[in-house]
């Protein structure tokens, strides 16, 4: 299994979100051997590596991140914590939000998690009590309230990475896995070094699709977001957002959003379609379709409500998502080796799921839990 061209980003071409990731790994050469290798330093890989050491403090756990922790979706997310999956509930899934909060609590990760509920908004079936009345292809208002909430993505990434390190997992940044050989034993190649592992988790999401065996089976896309400058309490109240609940449309055109510290509001929408995941390596939000979609999103946000008309957008950014069959997450053993697990493709619905399923993957690697059967052929 080869990553062909492993990702290695050096410039913030995807724009800058309104949070920072306060973590830098120490420089170490890759070990010759590890019990568990985790590939990918997003929410999924970090949660799995931390949970492995939380449960088995004496096993060697090494996380390989091609670039920096949070370099991909997790650092460029919206940070809404949503229940279930993008495809709804799945057999044996359990309560994602409760599991997510429990894992963060057990690992002592403080990331400003709040779960006050989330607002489904739409152009029809609006509740008479809707606090929201926005102008966006009709009048947008609240149609239903569902479980959900928000996190600070920068704090969740650094909190998980610090929790992993504190428990003795080795995090190696700038360590792209170029190849995984499954012949006799599992051997990963990183920057020319070889690392033997007993068990591997591939948590590379929208990138390295040859490594995960998802090339041609899952579609990488790039999606966009903007954040306003801090708004006054009067502006927040007139927008109907005083409850602090995140929101997303249940009809089209799609729009999601949330509040962030300092009374900023984040709005997100838009999809850049990609033929090949490698287009992510050169995609620049200041050019082409991504720039057009960001400009449209800003204009749309300003027209939602008179109190947004003259608002300045302080941050603009985008990041990848991966959509697999039926919008269901991929969580399965690799076709070429049963000790290689592939987890990801949350279809833009991965903040809570990545941590919840990352911990589940850790338990499966330790032989304490079975994988679900969501990805078996019909
Ligand atoms: C703009 C935006 C808004 C979003 N909003 C929300 C939201 O509000 N709520 C929600 O639930 N979800 C949301 N999502 C989706 C959510 O952010 C993702 O599902 C989640 O972050 C995925 O985490 P991950 O760890 O699986 O993947 P990633 O964070 O993408 O991590 C994968 C990592 O693997 C690394 N990697 C790749 N190849 C290799 C290799 N060969 N060797 C080593 N490392 C490698 C990458 O560098 C990357 O760091 C959003 C996504 C975007 C882009």
């Amino acid at each position: 299994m080869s990553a062909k061209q492993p990702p290695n980003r050096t410039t913030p071409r995807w724009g800058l979100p309104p949070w920072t990731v306060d973590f830098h790994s120490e420089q170490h050469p890759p070990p010759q051997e590890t019990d568990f290798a985790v590939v990918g330093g997003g929410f999924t890989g970090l949660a799995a590596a931390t949970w492995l050491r939380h449960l088995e403090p004496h096993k060697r756990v090494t996380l390989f991140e091609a670039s920096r922790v949070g370099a991909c979706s997790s650092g460029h997310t919206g940070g809404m914590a949503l229940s279930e999956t993008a495809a709804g509930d799945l057999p044996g899934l359990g309560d994602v939000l409760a599991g997510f909060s429990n894992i963060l609590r057990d690992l002592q990760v403080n990331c400003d998690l709040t779960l006050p509920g989330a607002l489904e908004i739409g152009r029809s079936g609006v509740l008479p009590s809707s606090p929201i009345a926005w102008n966006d292809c009709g009048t947008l208002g609240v149609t239903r309230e569902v479980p959900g909430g928000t996190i600070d993505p920068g704090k969740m990434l650094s909190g998980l990475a610090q929790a992993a390190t504190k428990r003795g997992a080795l995090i190696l940044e700038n360590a792209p896995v170029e190849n995984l050989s499954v012949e006799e034993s599992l051997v990963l190649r990183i920057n020319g070094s070889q690392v033997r592992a007993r068990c591997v988790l591939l948590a590379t999401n929208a990138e390295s699709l040859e490594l995960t065996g998802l090339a041609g089976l899952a579609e990488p896309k790039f999606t966009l977001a903007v954040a306003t400058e801090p708004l006054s309490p009067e502006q927040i109240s007139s927008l109907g957002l005083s409850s602090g609940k995140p929101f997303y449309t249940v009809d089209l055109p799609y729009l999601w959003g949330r509040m962030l510290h300092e009374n900023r509001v984040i709005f997100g929408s838009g999809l850049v379609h990609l033929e090949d995941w490698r287009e992510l390596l050169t995609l620049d939000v200041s050019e082409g379709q991504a720039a057009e979609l960001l400009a449209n999103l800003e204009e749309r946000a300003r027209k939602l409500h008179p109190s947004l008309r003259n608002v300045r957008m302080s941050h603009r950014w985008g990041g990848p998502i991966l959509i697999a069959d039926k919008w269901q997450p991929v969580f399965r053993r690799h076709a070429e080796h049963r000790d290689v697990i592939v987890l990801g493709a949350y279809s833009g619905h991965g903040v809570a799921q990545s941590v919840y399923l990352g911990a589940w993957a850790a338990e499966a690697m330790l032989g304490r839990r079975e994988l679900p059967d969501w990805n078996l052929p019909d």
Side-chain angles (χ1 to χ4, degrees), residues 96-313:
V96 174
L97 287 175
F100 173 59
S101 323
N102 292 342
I103 293 160
L104 292 175
R105 186 204 54 215
D106 290 357
L107 296 177
Q108 297 176 313
V109 172
N110 177 6
C111 56
D112 299 346
L113 168 68
T114 56
L115 293 172
L119 304 175
E120 291 193 343
I121 57 176
R123 286 106 185 154
S124 61
V126 172
L127 298 173
S129 58
S130 170
I132 288 176
W134 297 341
N135 172 35
D136 187 55
C137 296
T139 303
L140 263 180
V142 175
T143 57
R144 194 165 74 119
E145 192 170 327
V146 294
T150 53
I151 54 141
D152 178 315
K155 287 187 183 172
M156 190 155 99
L157 281 162
S158 30
L160 284 169
Q162 282 154 9
T165 309
K166 188 172 137 204
R167 284 169 176 77
L170 182 61
I171 297 183
L172 300 177
E173 294 177 298
N174 301 310
V177 172
E178 297 144 349
N179 186 59
L180 171 59
S181 144
V182 295
E183 274 146 34
E184 281 169 29
S185 50
L186 297 173
V187 180
L188 302 102
R189 197 179 68 227
I190 299 111
N191 292 332
S193 301
Q194 307 235 320
V195 180
R196 224 178 8 256
R198 270 185 38 212
C199 196
V200 176
L201 175 67
L202 298 176
T204 57
N205 191 33
E207 297 190 333
S208 303
L209 296 183
E210 293 77 17
L211 197 67
T212 50
L214 293 177
L217 298 177
E219 287 182 45
K221 311 259 183 215
F222 190 85
T223 186
L224 299 138
V226 294
T228 69
E229 62 190 349
L231 303 184
S232 66
E234 294 73 33
Q235 282 172 302
I236 296 294
S237 166
S238 65
L239 287 170
L241 291 177
S242 300
S243 68
K245 293 172 187 164
F247 52 86
Y248 56 87
T249 55
V250 285
D251 51 15
L252 296 175
Y254 187 58
L255 183 74
W256 61 266
R258 60 164 293 188
M259 309 250 314
L260 191 69
H261 42 74
E262 302 174 306
N263 275 354
R264 291 176 197 277
V265 184
I266 296 177
F267 294 100
S269 188
L271 280 182
V272 179
H273 302 278
L274 308 169
E275 293 298 322
D276 188 297
W277 70 265
R278 271 164 284 261
E279 290 167 43
L280 291 169
L281 303 177
T282 50
L283 195 152
D284 190 325
V285 293
S286 64
E287 295 168 358
Q289 202 195 351
E292 266 172 48
L293 289 170
L294 270 179
N296 291 346
L297 177 59
E298 280 196 44
E299 196 186 332
R300 222 176 129 194
R302 285 210 186 83
K303 286 186 178 158
L304 284 175
H305 192 273
S307 62
L308 289 171
R309 193 165 299 136
N310 298 315
V311 91
R312 202 178 66 86
M313 299 296 166

Side-chain angles (χ1 to χ4, degrees), residues 3 7 9 39-44 64-66 72-74 76-80 175-177 203-205 207-208 211 223 256 319-321 346 348-351:
R9 284 165 295 272
V39 186
F43 297 145
T44 305
F64 302 96
E65 163 52 46
C72 242
S73 288
S74 303
H76 296 86
T77 184
M80 293 187 290
V177 172
T204 57
N205 191 33
E207 297 190 333
S208 303
L211 197 67
T223 186
W256 61 266
I321 59 172
Y346 308 113
H349 194 109
V351 166

